[in-house]
Amino acid sequence: TPNQTFSASVNFGSSSYKTYGERNLNEALTNNTQSSISYSRVWPGTPFSMNIAATHSQNTRDSILTVGLPSINFNMTRITPFKRKEAVGAERWYEKIGIPLSVSLQNTVTAKENEFTDMNGIMKKMKNGLRYNTSISVPFNLKTINISPSISYSGRVYTSEINKSWDAANEKVLTDTVYGLSHSYDFSTGLSASTQIYGMYLFKPNKKIQAIRHMMMPSIGFSWRPDFGKSFWGFYKEVQVSPDGKKQKYALHEQGIYGAPGTGESASMSFSLGNTVEMKVRSQDTTGKEETKKVKILEALDFTSSYNFLADSLGWSPISVSGR
């Protein structure tokens, strides 16, 4: 149907069949096989869409299978939940608040073919997790300046986390898996501002070139993200890694399918200046009738750079110039 699609490509066979039962020489010599099944749907008139997939990859040489089931992605395009259905008067600032959302769920397991008969063992080898991303932006105008503050948030939900400890007797680090729902997240904030500045030079009325216009588009942006490696957030711990007492930081979700929140604080500001130059000229069409047309002299001439507030030195990045 127009709003739903389904596709499937399945290629599966045991390692023993590939070795002893395959009658096609090319297939017998193929060591890797893959399969995929997917279903997607869009809900017309709504911001929602969804995709469900199952995947399989197999190496018949070492009989290792990787199965992904299920893989679900749900998306909601940007909505404005506070916008009035019947607006009276000017648009309010809170009506411009936009919120998108994306949710993904993955479950994968990698094991040898004969291990799939042991469901308890397979359950322990499974890597799964749920991740959701959203952001809030509030664009508004301050006279001729467009300003857009925003905040982005990403969360992860797992069914286990790891705990590391120092084994003094054997002088090595032990890693234990602790089962149970575990959650981590990260976020960042930003603020951008942009405007447009016009300059015009007019020629005398009898000149073929009537005017040259220069448009400048300056913009500035600021972004900040905290250090999620600090103990305050609870996503990282320390473990002794050597007999002399040396310690090392590790993430509780470093083995998670979606990873762990990043370490290191980030604070930077970006700058850009875009330019276009065009002129208006007098010309004649095929009938001899006089008309005017626009001719672009510079399609674009852009300058960009950024500054890292947390850098020990050389906080400025090189200035990048591009044009056409």
Side-chain angles (χ1 to χ4, degrees), residues 233-253:
W233 303 102
F235 304 144
Y236 285 77
K237 289 183 178 180
E238 286 189 341
V239 61
Q240 182 178 335
V241 293
S242 62
D244 60 3
K246 182 181 177 181
K247 291 186 177 182
Q248 190 176 71
K249 187 181 294 185
Y250 72 95
L252 303 181
H253 295 154

Side-chain angles (χ1 to χ4, degrees), residues 84-95:
R84 293 171 291 175
K85 293 182 178 179
E86 297 181 3
V88 178
E91 187 178 32
R92 313 288 172 78
W93 68 268
Y94 55 82
E95 293 184 79

